[in-house]
Amino acid sequence: MLIKDLKTEDSLYFRNSAFIDSLLINKKSSTLLKTAMHLMQARRVLFFAHKYLKFRPSTYETKNLQPNYGAMNLLQRDSIVRFHFKEALRLGGSAIPGKSIDISWLSSNADKLLFKADLADIALAERIGFETGKTTDLNLSDQDIQTLIVSEPKGFQQALQSSLDTAKIHSHLMDTYTLWMRKHNSKPEELQYIQMLIKYYFYSRMPNILSNAWTTYLKKTSPLH
């Protein structure tokens, strides 16, 4: 597919990846293959929004191929991206790769996962990357965010949900993080790593205001503490 992208004109972007949808609707495709294809298609559609288009958007339409991604608006393509990430997560739990199969290539940030990730982890991490780019400020109060950053691991999930509920905030990003935390509830080290990513997300939005809370958190979690 990537070689085709290099050899063919830009307007064939979605035609070059049409095989992905063909494999997804093929009943003979394995669960592992479908999981991989869902992840690939999510990233393919997502990348189109950030791609420099050499031609008019209508040139990228595939009227004789469905779905016609080129004819969709941004909100419709975002919905497609979420669908593929959800399906990858749903199938990932039962798609068990062989010991010799390296699945890290399915992740765009494998080097940032500090534990051995399975397909479900990759699906969740990829969606988090997508939702982070779509999320504006969550409008939580500075005090709420400071409290969340310094909160203990055992009470963090409840505190986060309580803050979101009180502020009447629905966030695709935090929903995805919550799914990821629940998946690792029985693994303290992985769970605390995911919580750290959430806390860093909050800190990175307002580093000047939250520097004291972030420093306090780092001191509490330091092995030398």
Side-chain angles (χ1 to χ4, degrees), residues 11-44:
S11 61
L12 296 179
Y13 181 80
F14 286 120
R15 290 190 180 277
N16 290 345
S17 58
F19 74 93
I20 296 177
D21 284 316
S22 297
L23 288 171
L24 285 172
I25 63 175
N26 189 334
K27 294 182 179 179
K28 294 183 179 180
S29 296
S30 68
T31 303
L32 178 58
L33 178 60
K34 286 186 175 182
T35 304
M37 292 300 103
H38 278 299
L39 288 170
M40 285 179 62
Q41 193 67 305
R43 289 223 301 267
R44 184 77 172 177

Side-chain angles (χ1 to χ4, degrees), residues 68-213:
N68 186 357
Y69 300 111
M72 297 178 182
N73 60 37
L74 182 59
L75 289 178
Q76 289 171 325
R77 286 196 294 270
D78 283 351
S79 179
I80 291 289
V81 170
R82 289 189 175 103
F83 165 77
H84 283 295
F85 281 141
K86 286 180 180 178
E87 286 299 290
L89 176 60
R90 182 181 67 84
L91 296 173
S94 57
I96 310 299
K99 292 182 179 180
S100 61
I101 298 178
D102 180 14
I103 61 172
S104 62
W105 66 273
L106 290 169
S107 172
S108 60
N109 54 3
D111 57 323
K112 295 180 181 179
L113 291 171
L114 300 186
F115 54 85
K116 186 174 177 58
D118 58 22
L119 284 164
D121 288 316
I122 291 174
L124 288 163
E126 290 296 305
R127 182 169 179 188
I128 283 168
F130 165 70
E131 298 294 358
T132 299
K134 293 292 176 181
T135 301
T136 55
D137 290 337
L138 293 176
N139 294 322
L140 291 173
S141 70
D142 295 350
Q143 183 58 52
D144 278 345
I145 296 176
Q146 290 184 53
T147 300
L148 287 171
I149 288 177
V150 299
S151 63
E152 296 294 330
K154 288 184 179 179
F156 177 76
Q157 292 184 59
Q158 184 176 350
L160 175 62
Q161 192 58 55
S162 178
S163 295
L164 294 173
D165 289 345
T166 300
K168 297 182 179 179
I169 295 172
H170 174 256
S171 165
H172 287 296
L173 175 61
M174 290 302 139
D175 284 350
T176 309
Y177 266 125
T178 296
L179 287 174
W180 206 12
M181 286 190 290
R182 288 174 182 169
K183 181 178 183 295
H184 291 278
N185 265 337
S186 62
K187 301 175 181 177
E189 291 186 358
E190 285 90 335
L191 180 60
Q192 288 186 46
Y193 171 68
I194 297 167
Q195 291 179 357
M196 183 200 70
L197 294 178
I198 300 172
K199 293 179 179 186
Y200 182 75
Y201 168 81
F202 286 127
Y203 163 71
S204 65
R205 292 301 188 268
M206 298 183 293
N208 293 331
I209 296 174
L210 299 171
S211 60
N212 289 337

